Amino acid sequence: MTDWLIAPAPAPSLPIEGDNRRFAVRRIYCVGQNYAAHAREMGADASKPDPFFFSKPADAVVVDGRDPSYPPATANLHYEVELVVALGEGGKPVGWGVGVDLTRRDVQSAAKAAGRPWDAAKGFDQSAPCGALSLTPPAADATIRLSVNGEVRQSGRLDDMIWDVEGVLGKANGLWKLAAGDLVFTGTPEGVGPLQIGDAVEAVIEGLPPLRFVVQP
């Protein structure tokens, strides 16, 4: 029996629709600017696409209907709805869900200007709300949408992605050894924007369980 100086924290996990099992999260990888229109709205050259990645800690996930809190150190919290792919043995997809990449946009902009890492802008506490996983993938052309207080802010289709899921995983697997328990956020359509305390968010991908939350103080 191992004696711990500090006991290990419980593994973050996601529920699975129609299944009593849960998906234990090992790592979270995110793809930047994987929709051309979003790349353009962020000031990037979408005519020369090349996937790039950033990460969030596993315990950034917010699950089971819990509501994330508005984080400190920002006055410009942004939403980004994304298809999330859950990986099993050998880094192969076994589940699909809807996630929101919450971003401290002002912190990110300052980091970009200074040529510094994005960790504080992307990897903060409760920065990765995620819905229940489905064991059945969505259609390649499924709609993806995010609404705030009932108003649609983002709308697109999964086949708008510059790199499809297979391409994203292939590129990521050249940088890391993808493994069971990894989540991959695959990018967001155009229309990202700010959230305020009290905003009700609904994120939907056709064919997958929806994600809903209210931003808390």
Side-chain angles (χ1 to χ4, degrees):
M1 181 175 179
T2 302
D3 291 327
W4 302 98
L5 176 62
I6 300 173
S13 65
L14 292 171
I16 301 170
E17 184 182 44
D19 198 310
N20 291 328
R21 297 172 296 174
R22 295 183 69 89
F23 180 88
V25 180
R26 188 183 84 109
R27 295 179 178 174
I28 301 175
Y29 301 106
C30 306
V31 184
Q33 299 176 4
N34 196 22
Y35 288 72
H38 172 60
R40 287 191 293 269
E41 76 177 350
M42 298 303 294
D45 182 358
S47 67
K48 299 178 181 179
D50 185 28
F52 67 93
F53 296 83
F54 56 92
S55 63
K56 294 175 181 273
D59 63 0
V61 294
V62 184
V63 299
D64 299 330
R66 295 198 293 270
D67 295 321
S69 299
Y70 197 99
T74 185
N76 195 18
L77 178 69
H78 275 210
Y79 55 79
E80 300 185 12
V81 63
E82 312 205 9
L83 170 67
V84 178
V85 182
L87 305 184
E89 296 299 328
K92 303 299 184 183
V94 295
W96 294 262
V98 184
V100 173
D101 167 19
L102 294 177
T103 303
R104 291 167 165 151
R105 190 69 73 200
D106 45 0
V107 175
Q108 183 189 38
S109 296
K112 284 181 177 180
R116 294 175 178 172
W118 293 5
D119 299 60
K122 290 288 192 177
F124 54 90
D125 297 340
Q126 303 177 57
S127 61
C130 194
L133 297 177
S134 170
L135 300 181
T136 302
D141 61 350
T143 56
I144 178 171
R145 185 177 71 252
L146 182 139
S147 300
V148 179
N149 301 325
E151 179 185 347
V152 176
R153 301 286 181 82
Q154 290 184 274
S155 182
R157 301 191 327 180
L158 296 184
D159 59 2
D160 292 333
M161 288 194 291
I162 298 171
W163 313 281
D164 62 12
V165 170
E166 182 179 357
V168 165
L169 296 182
K171 182 68 174 180
N173 212 32
L175 297 170
W176 304 276
K177 183 177 180 179
L178 299 179
D182 290 345
L183 294 178
V184 181
F185 280 59
T186 58
T188 193
E190 66 178 316
V192 301
L195 289 171
Q196 306 297 330
I197 293 171
D199 280 347
V201 177
E202 181 180 54
V204 175
I205 294 176
E206 185 180 8
L208 299 180
L211 168 63
R212 299 182 181 94
F213 62 85
V214 177
V215 181
Q216 300 297 308

